[in-house]
Amino acid sequence: MALLRVTALTGLSVAVGSAVTALLCVGPRQLSRTTNDLGRRARDIAPYLAAALGLLAVKQLTQGYRIRISRALDWHITDKLYAIEGEFVAALQRATPDATLELFSAAYMLGFAVLLVAGPAVYFLAGDGGQRHLKELLVAYMLNYAVGTLCYTLFVGYGPRKYLDSVDGLLYQFYPETQELTAAVASNTNVFPSLHASLSVAVAAVAWRSRRRFPRWAWIAGALTATVVYSTMYLGIHWATDVIAGAVLGAGSAAVGARIVTRVERRAAGEAPDPVDGAASEPEPKPGDD
């Protein structure tokens, strides 16, 4: 019952936060000009969305098998992560004011989900000017989950809150009900790389590419990403090494996603792919788009 209540409250908060963010970034005038074309845009994006949802479903359905494979391989990396950075996370917790605990707990549980949902919502509601960025983001999501799932299967790792007595599991002390929700979607050995960091950075990278068309979204995504990334360490969930690896994966997935979408779009249009750079530059905004 507690899990159902937490899930419902989290889902409602994310839905409201994402809707408000999308409206703030797109604007009611632009939204009113694009609502009559939602069906065509939905058909255009359907293959990308179906692939992303399919990959996510496979990830969840195979979680038990992957945990067994991981245990059979028995490649533990927690000692190596500690050897790289030592007590960094413990020092970070001591240096961060206790008054920020609620902020960073909300960022980890809600801000991260708002990032993942609001990004696609902004691009979809904005019309044709956002379709390409939406496709790039969905491909980046798939790449993150594919690489992250492979790493979680290969490596057994535990976060600093599980490994060090000097690090507190602040999130679960402050809001213990969330432990059931996080356990339902991920194993506690899913440490390297941090998908919270990688997916957030991927969203921020695509938002930066679209900053001329969606300046508000670029700033919001950047601020949320910084807060989410910091929260993963401050709450004792991830090592700094996990976060750095996640940031590299996120930035790389956004860059590769742009190239993949360019090639797919050009093939669909019957154009020859650019042999030098597959990533198309962002189009200039049209008068009246903003």
Side-chain angles (χ1 to χ4, degrees):
M1 195 57 136
L3 176 59
L4 181 60
R5 184 173 63 253
V6 172
T7 302
L9 179 60
T10 301
L12 178 62
S13 301
V14 170
V16 172
S18 300
V20 171
T21 301
L23 288 174
L24 179 64
C25 295
V26 176
R29 291 175 57 190
Q30 176 67 17
L31 183 61
S32 66
R33 291 198 299 265
T34 60
T35 51
N36 60 349
D37 198 26
L38 295 180
R40 182 186 62 81
R41 271 180 278 149
R43 290 190 295 272
D44 183 41
I45 210 68
Y48 294 87
L49 183 60
L53 292 176
L55 179 62
L56 185 60
V58 170
K59 175 181 178 295
Q60 290 303 117
L61 291 173
T62 60
Q63 181 170 318
Y65 298 103
R66 290 184 287 102
I67 290 174
R68 288 196 288 272
I69 292 172
S70 185
R71 289 173 178 169
L73 292 173
D74 203 29
W75 291 348
H76 288 263
I77 62 169
T78 317
D79 290 342
K80 295 180 176 61
L81 296 175
Y82 177 71
I84 292 171
E85 63 184 79
E87 299 280 333
F88 176 81
V89 172
L92 188 71
Q93 280 194 344
R94 292 193 297 268
T96 305
D98 294 340
T100 62
L101 176 56
E102 187 171 353
L103 167 66
F104 288 117
S105 296
Y108 185 84
M109 290 300 299
L110 302 178
F112 171 67
V114 168
L115 261 177
L116 298 192
V117 176
V122 167
Y123 295 134
F124 181 74
L125 294 175
D128 289 338
Q131 287 290 95
R132 176 184 170 80
H133 296 300
L134 175 52
K135 294 173 183 177
E136 293 174 1
L137 194 53
L138 291 175
V139 174
Y141 285 174
M142 288 187 276
L143 293 172
N144 273 276
Y145 275 117
V147 174
T149 299
L150 176 62
C151 290
Y152 292 162
T153 303
L154 292 177
F155 306 123
V156 176
Y158 293 94
R161 71 183 179 87
K162 291 279 192 179
Y163 188 79
L164 299 175
D165 293 335
S166 56
V167 173
D168 294 323
L170 295 176
L171 174 64
Y172 304 127
Q173 291 177 12
F174 172 71
Y175 197 2
E177 294 88 346
T178 60
Q179 192 160 8
E180 292 185 57
L181 178 59
T182 55
V185 298
S187 166
N188 61 7
T189 60
N190 291 0
V191 170
F192 179 86
S194 166
L195 280 184
H196 263 67
S198 69
L199 288 164
S200 297
V201 169
V203 173
V206 176
W208 178 253
R209 280 175 48 81
S210 66
R211 65 191 180 280
R212 288 187 294 175
R213 181 70 184 275
F214 306 101
R216 287 180 181 174
W217 171 237
W219 283 106
I220 291 172
L224 280 175
T225 294
T227 309
V228 169
V229 167
Y230 192 92
S231 74
T232 63
M233 294 179 288
Y234 170 59
L235 298 174
I237 296 168
H238 281 288
W239 304 87
T241 308
D242 305 330
V243 169
I244 293 171
V248 172
L249 172 58
S253 68
V256 173
R259 291 176 177 270
I260 290 175
V261 172
T262 294
R263 291 182 179 275
V264 171
E265 298 290 282
R266 286 182 171 175
R267 286 181 180 177
E271 300 176 17
D274 189 334
V276 178
D277 187 356
S281 59
E282 181 182 347
E284 292 290 343
K286 299 177 183 177
D289 280 348
D290 295 329

